[in-house]
Amino acid sequence: MKILITNVRVFDGTGSAPFLGAVAIEGNRISAVAPANAAADLPVNAKVMDGAGAMLMPGLIEAHAHLTWPSSIERIVPDMVLPPEELALTAARNARILLDHGYTSVYSGGALSRQLEIFLKAQMDCGGLPGPRLIPSSIERGPPSDGGLIAQSGTASEARGPQAVREFVRECAAMGAKSVKFLISGESALKPGASQEVLYTQEELQAAGEQARESNVWLTGHAHAAEAVKLGLRSGFRVLYHCTYADEEAIDLLCQRKSEVFVAPTIGIVQATLDADPPAHFDMTHMKADAAAVLERQMSLVPQLKRLGIRVLPGGDYGFPFNPHGRNARDLELFVEHFAYTPSEVLVAATRLGGELMGMGDELGLIREGYLADLLLVKGDPTEDVRILQDPNNLLAVMKDGRFHKEPVLNHGSALTARAVS
């Protein structure tokens, strides 16, 4: 099927100013992009859709997704433990919610199940379930420690030593995971001071890196402590979350590997913790104190990383009751508010850089001829105010892989509202 979307302001994901133009789609790819004065040269043997001046932009990409973490804007779940059957259905719901909100791709930051994300990806890839493109993961690995994360409960292969770590990476790859997550440091939100604890030796992480290269998978690390960041970089980790206490040496290493590594500070969960109003029986005092310290540090660190050309991406640990799936686009606002990004800069991070994170930088994250047709038609101008992307009613259309998940409803050539078609 050929589709021609005309009369749209095109934000192509490069950071260039939007331009009035038209975009042609054939199958699952963009076949042509033209400014308004050349739109007449685009194919006419296509279904023509008048965008009525709305903005067409690449689909958003979530850099730190936990689809199996159960809470969403549609259903708050107070516990992180669910029966396997309910967890599977909840993860499918969460995947659909992200697509509803304009996230056409997500990179997993770990799961509560060994294989659920692998099976979920297969269903979404074949069209059996609505959801984004997915880089799937398995359970996060942390050695026995009370400084680990909630998702550590039930973790497989927690034995110590390089050989055990190799086996964990090998098992994840054999199951079909592409991202293998290690808790390189602890988490002070759960145990005061744990973010400064390093949970692996250099020999263990080097073994993980060697096995990851052999098994053709990517390593992802939860790393707050400066030493955790350095260990991850020296061991070949591709994605590092948080990096909160990176020191000068860690920042130098990030610069040396900036063409190979991605950083996601997960500001969403930090702000959500500060904003949370928990019930009386749930004391978040130490969590809020830690979040305040993390925010203060990241407000200094992230702008520095950006200036140095390190690829920093939004993605905020969604899935907690106080930070549910569906609020993901708030990260964009927080990058502007706390990290001095312009709206266009954070949109580039969430589109073009996200395509690179997905390992598809030559075909995903831009509106460009030959690229995959993952597109949003947006009411308003997110290059002026990214907050409009937090309201799904402003998403007039959501397209993934050349097919509408949410199709614009046309009235005399004008895009007015939208309806889901998947």
Side-chain angles (χ1 to χ4, degrees):
M1 180 179 180
K2 298 180 181 179
I3 300 172
L4 179 60
I5 305 176
T6 64
N7 190 21
V8 286
R9 290 170 296 135
V10 179
F11 175 78
D12 64 7
T14 65
S16 298
F19 60 90
L20 187 64
V23 174
I25 298 152
E26 185 168 352
N28 69 338
R29 304 229 170 219
I30 297 167
S31 58
V33 182
N37 58 10
D41 297 330
L42 293 180
V44 294
N45 58 334
K47 178 181 179 181
V48 178
M49 304 179 66
D50 188 327
M55 179 165 285
L56 192 70
M57 61 174 284
L60 297 170
I61 299 172
E62 166 64 56
H64 190 164
H66 292 291
L67 293 178
T68 60
W69 290 19
S71 286
S72 71
I73 58 171
E74 294 183 2
R75 178 175 180 249
I76 300 299
V77 180
D79 199 340
M80 293 293 283
V81 179
L82 293 175
E85 298 85 356
E86 186 177 4
L87 183 64
L89 294 172
T90 299
R93 178 204 288 253
N94 293 338
R96 188 264 302 160
I97 288 172
L98 262 68
L99 189 56
D100 287 348
H101 286 76
Y103 282 84
T104 53
S105 295
V106 302
Y107 188 101
S108 175
L112 292 176
S113 164
R114 284 168 56 84
Q115 292 183 274
L116 178 51
E117 285 192 350
I118 291 101
F119 292 125
L120 179 61
K121 171 181 167 56
Q123 287 293 319
M124 294 188 295
D125 286 352
C126 74
L129 289 172
R133 301 178 189 277
L134 173 63
I135 298 295
S137 186
S138 184
I139 291 174
E140 305 175 28
R141 192 188 198 279
S145 167
D146 58 0
L149 294 180
I150 291 173
Q152 186 181 338
S153 60
T155 302
S157 304
E158 287 187 345
R160 298 307 305 253
Q163 188 56 41
V165 168
R166 282 181 180 276
E167 186 59 30
F168 177 75
V169 175
R170 190 181 298 117
E171 287 178 358
C172 289
M175 288 187 294
K178 179 63 176 176
S179 167
V180 180
K181 174 80 171 287
F182 283 78
L183 308 178
I184 307 176
S185 79
E187 175 56 65
S188 293
L190 300 176
K191 174 194 169 187
S195 290
Q196 296 293 353
E197 297 177 1
V198 175
L199 304 180
Y200 286 91
T201 67
Q202 180 175 330
E203 292 74 20
E204 287 171 327
L205 293 184
Q206 285 179 340
E210 292 167 4
Q211 187 61 52
R213 290 187 289 275
E214 182 179 324
S215 297
N216 191 31
V217 294
W218 295 327
L219 294 183
T220 302
H222 172 99
H224 281 288
E227 188 60 29
V229 175
K230 287 179 270 192
L231 282 172
L233 290 168
R234 290 169 179 151
S235 303
F237 276 63
R238 183 173 181 268
V239 180
L240 291 174
Y241 293 132
H242 313 296
C243 296
T244 308
Y245 300 105
D247 58 15
E248 185 175 340
E249 182 183 9
I251 293 170
D252 286 344
L253 284 171
L254 282 166
C255 283
Q256 292 172 26
R257 289 200 59 214
K258 63 184 178 183
S259 64
E260 307 162 39
V261 71
F262 299 87
V263 171
T266 67
I267 186 63
I269 188 65
V270 176
Q271 188 66 59
T273 302
L274 291 170
D275 295 343
D277 184 17
H281 69 275
F282 187 59
D283 185 3
M284 292 183 66
T285 303
H286 82 272
M287 296 176 70
K288 287 179 176 288
D290 177 67
V294 169
L295 177 58
E296 180 179 7
R297 173 61 185 152
Q298 289 188 344
M299 286 176 67
S300 171
L301 174 67
V302 174
Q304 181 182 3
L305 299 182
K306 173 175 166 283
R307 287 193 300 271
L308 293 170
I310 294 163
R311 292 176 291 183
V312 182
L313 287 83
D317 251 340
Y318 293 88
F320 286 110
F322 55 93
N323 194 39
H325 297 290
R327 291 189 185 166
N328 305 63
R330 190 187 185 196
D331 259 48
L332 310 183
E333 176 188 359
L334 296 174
F335 266 57
V336 173
E337 178 182 349
H338 293 314
F339 301 152
Y341 276 64
T342 67
S344 288
E345 286 172 338
V346 73
L347 289 174
V348 169
T351 55
R352 178 175 68 82
L353 295 187
E356 294 173 10
L357 172 72
M358 298 289 289
M360 304 171 70
D362 59 348
E363 60 177 344
L364 184 68
L366 295 175
I367 296 182
R368 180 175 289 177
E369 183 177 345
Y371 274 56
L372 290 162
D374 288 10
L375 303 170
L376 306 179
L377 186 65
V378 182
K379 177 183 177 182
D381 188 349
T383 68
E384 294 293 332
D385 185 357
V386 292
R387 293 176 297 180
I388 68 173
L389 293 173
Q390 295 177 40
D391 183 353
N393 293 318
N394 291 327
L395 302 181
L396 300 173
V398 176
M399 173 181 281
K400 175 199 162 193
D401 210 35
R403 299 183 63 182
F404 283 110
H405 169 68
K406 185 178 185 181
E407 185 171 2
V409 176
L410 306 180
N411 183 15
H412 302 294
S414 297
L416 298 178
T417 58
R419 59 186 174 86
V421 296
S422 58

